[in-house]
Amino acid sequence: EDAANGNRKGITVNAYNDNGATLTSITVGTAVEPSAVIDFENDEVGTTYSGIAWSPDNISVVVAANPSGTGKALHVTSTDWNSYAKFPVTLPNGLTLSGIEKIAFDIYFSETTQEDGDRQHYYKNVHCFFGATGASFTANEPTIDAGQIIAGENVLTWIHKDFALGALAAEIGALSAFDLGLGVGCPEADYYLDNIRLIAKESGVTTVSAEKPRVYSSSEGIYVAGNNEKVSIFAIDGRLVRQAVANNQLIPVNKGVYVVKTGNQTAKALVR
C-alpha cells in the first residue's frame, strides 16, 4: 500500500486444473472501495485487473485514460472467446446480490477489422460471473448470459447498456462482497468499460447510488450519458449554444471549447 498517495497495489495469482481449462485469478490489493458504482477513477492509469479466460495470455485488463473525454476507464483486450474482465466488489449498506435488480454499464468499442459476424460490436452476448472473492471461474460457464444486448452498435462512442439479474442461486444471492466478471462474448476484443452500476430493487429508493451524468467529447459533438438529463452547453465566452434533454445521446456542436452544465454539475469539453 502506498499510504502517501492512497493507492493500493497488488499481485495476481493464476492457477489451472489438470486439463488447463479453468483459470482462477486471485487479486491481492487493488480493491474497489465499497460502492455500487465502479468507475476506476481512484486507480492509477496502468493499474492491472485480473481476468477470466482460457489462458492469461488471451486477455489484458488495464485502467486507461478515457478514450473519449476525461477521466479513466477499464481497457479490455482479448484474442479468444470466453475472455472477460474481473474485479472485486463490495456492496454498501449491508446489501447482498439478492437485493440487486440489474447491472448497468457504459461500453466504448474500438474499431476492429473482423468480418461482421465476428466483430465485437455486432450482435454479441454479454456474460456475467459472480463468485465469492477468489473463486475459480470456468471461462465458458457464466453465471448469467444476458443475451444479445449488443446489437449493431456504433464504434468510437460511449454506449449505455443494462440487463436484469433474474433469479440467482441462494449462495450467490447471499454475497455482499464478491468477484464480478463482465464482458462481451466475441473472438477478439478491444473495448472499454466504465460506470458499472449495481442497481437495487425498488424499496423506497430506486437505485443504490445516484447515477451521475457523464460528459464526453468527440469529433462530432458532446455525448451526455444520463437519463432525462437537462443539458445546457455554453461557449467559452458564456454564450448559450444548445439546450436539450439528453438520454445517453450525442449532441452535435461545432469544433471548440464548451462548458456543459447537467443538473448541478459543470464540465468542460473540447470538440476537435
Side-chain angles (χ1 to χ4, degrees):
E1 181 172 342
D2 180 358
N5 296 313
N7 298 319
R8 293 190 177 99
K9 303 181 185 295
I11 60 173
T12 297
V13 179
N14 298 319
Y16 297 83
N17 63 12
D18 290 340
N19 61 17
T22 301
L23 168 65
T24 300
S25 299
I26 305 172
T27 301
V28 182
T30 318
V32 176
E33 293 298 320
S35 174
V37 180
I38 305 165
D39 61 10
F40 310 102
E41 293 303 320
N42 291 329
D43 288 322
E44 294 179 357
V45 169
T47 298
T48 301
Y49 281 81
S50 55
I52 301 168
W54 297 118
S55 165
D57 294 334
N58 291 347
I59 189 166
S60 170
V61 185
V62 182
V63 176
N66 185 335
S68 175
T70 60
K72 304 166 192 173
L74 194 66
H75 189 196
V76 181
T77 56
S78 65
T79 57
D80 197 4
W81 291 93
N82 307 123
S83 301
Y84 312 96
K86 190 184 82 166
F87 32 85
V89 178
T90 300
L91 293 175
N93 306 322
L95 275 169
T96 64
L97 277 170
S98 63
I100 299 299
E101 178 181 15
K102 64 181 179 178
I103 292 181
F105 61 95
D106 296 335
I107 188 166
Y108 177 104
F109 290 108
S110 304
E111 285 191 298
T112 56
T113 58
Q114 294 94 348
E115 297 296 324
D116 279 349
D118 289 334
R119 289 182 183 177
Q120 58 184 353
H121 63 281
Y122 194 82
Y123 298 98
K124 293 293 181 291
N125 288 27
V126 168
H127 298 140
C128 177
F129 297 75
F130 291 115
T133 304
S136 173
F137 296 107
T138 300
N140 64 344
E141 296 180 4
T143 310
I144 296 171
D145 183 340
Q148 207 169 77
I149 66 172
I150 302 299
E153 310 292 355
N154 292 326
V155 298
L156 306 181
T157 187
W158 283 99
I159 300 162
H160 180 81
K161 295 291 180 180
D162 61 64
F163 59 91
L165 294 191
L168 297 172
E171 63 271 21
I172 298 298
L175 295 173
S176 60
F178 49 89
D179 281 349
L180 168 64
L182 182 67
V184 179
C186 54
E188 293 183 23
D190 186 341
Y191 57 80
Y192 296 78
L193 293 171
D194 203 2
N195 302 318
I196 301 165
R197 307 182 262 299
L198 289 91
I199 300 174
K201 297 174 181 176
E202 291 189 11
S203 57
V205 180
T206 55
T207 63
V208 176
S209 181
E211 296 182 24
K212 297 180 180 180
R214 304 266 296 181
V215 175
Y216 311 101
S217 59
S218 72
S219 60
E220 299 177 351
I222 296 170
Y223 181 85
V224 179
N227 295 316
N228 296 317
E229 290 295 336
K230 294 181 179 179
V231 181
S232 298
I233 301 175
F234 300 88
I236 198 67
D237 61 5
R239 291 180 295 107
L240 178 64
V241 176
R242 291 286 303 274
Q243 281 188 315
V245 177
N247 288 280
N248 299 306
Q249 69 188 64
L250 181 73
I251 301 174
V253 294
N254 295 327
K255 295 179 180 180
V257 179
Y258 298 91
V259 176
V260 184
K261 184 175 182 181
T262 54
N264 61 357
Q265 299 180 17
T266 301
K268 185 179 289 185
L270 171 62
V271 178
R272 298 181 179 179

